[in-house]
Amino acid sequence: QVPFVESGGGLVQPGGSLRLSCTGSGRTIDNLAMGWFRQAPGKEREFVAYISQSGISVNYTDSVVGRFTISRDNAKNTMYLTMNSLKFEDTGVYYCNAAVNRRLLMERKTWGQGTQVTVSS
């Protein structure tokens, strides 16, 4: 089973933008807290952004504040991460995940394939 499908990654120059999508596969996301995480080669997976079930509450890691925007469209069963002013340090595989609340979301241990984001000049 593949619960979520990430897409939208690619190769961009520093300062460029990308919009990632996370779509539920075989499940509905409207009752779930969701978030984006990323992992660079040789690094631990890190939290990037969180969004509540309703989309009203959001939270970001300090390094992306003011540049990334997390959003969701429950009618489309999709969550998004809009990334602007991309930096070399943003390079990595981006994953989405979900749980019934924020605390459990941060404790998730299973992941999908992710989508590769490469920022290079």
Side-chain angles (χ1 to χ4, degrees):
Q1 296 289 335
V2 181
F4 304 103
V5 178
E6 300 97 338
S7 63
L11 174 64
V12 297
Q13 295 182 338
S17 299
L18 284 173
R19 187 193 193 197
L20 308 183
S21 297
C22 171
T23 301
S25 178
R27 68 175 64 184
T28 300
I29 69 169
D30 58 359
N31 292 327
L32 301 174
M34 301 188 71
W36 287 96
F37 302 76
R38 67 187 179 188
Q39 185 172 26
K43 301 290 186 179
E44 298 289 332
R45 181 179 286 104
E46 66 172 338
F47 164 77
V48 176
Y50 157 85
I51 187 166
S52 64
Q53 296 177 15
S54 66
I56 295 175
S57 180
V58 297
N59 182 256
Y60 303 91
T61 191
D62 287 344
S63 64
V64 308
V65 171
R67 300 188 298 118
F68 290 12
T69 301
I70 188 171
S71 61
R72 66 193 298 163
D73 187 339
N74 289 342
K76 296 181 179 179
N77 209 38
T78 301
M79 177 183 65
Y80 306 96
L81 183 67
T82 302
M83 306 184 295
N84 300 129
S85 302
L86 284 162
K87 305 175 179 179
F88 295 119
E89 309 93 271
D90 296 318
T91 293
V93 179
Y94 283 67
Y95 304 88
C96 67
N97 219 321
V100 296
N101 61 50
R102 183 176 181 177
R103 179 179 62 82
L104 292 178
L105 173 65
M106 300 304 177
E107 298 176 352
R108 294 291 285 160
K109 303 298 182 183
T110 57
W111 306 90
Q113 295 297 311
T115 185
Q116 177 72 46
V117 172
T118 302
V119 184
S120 177
S121 60

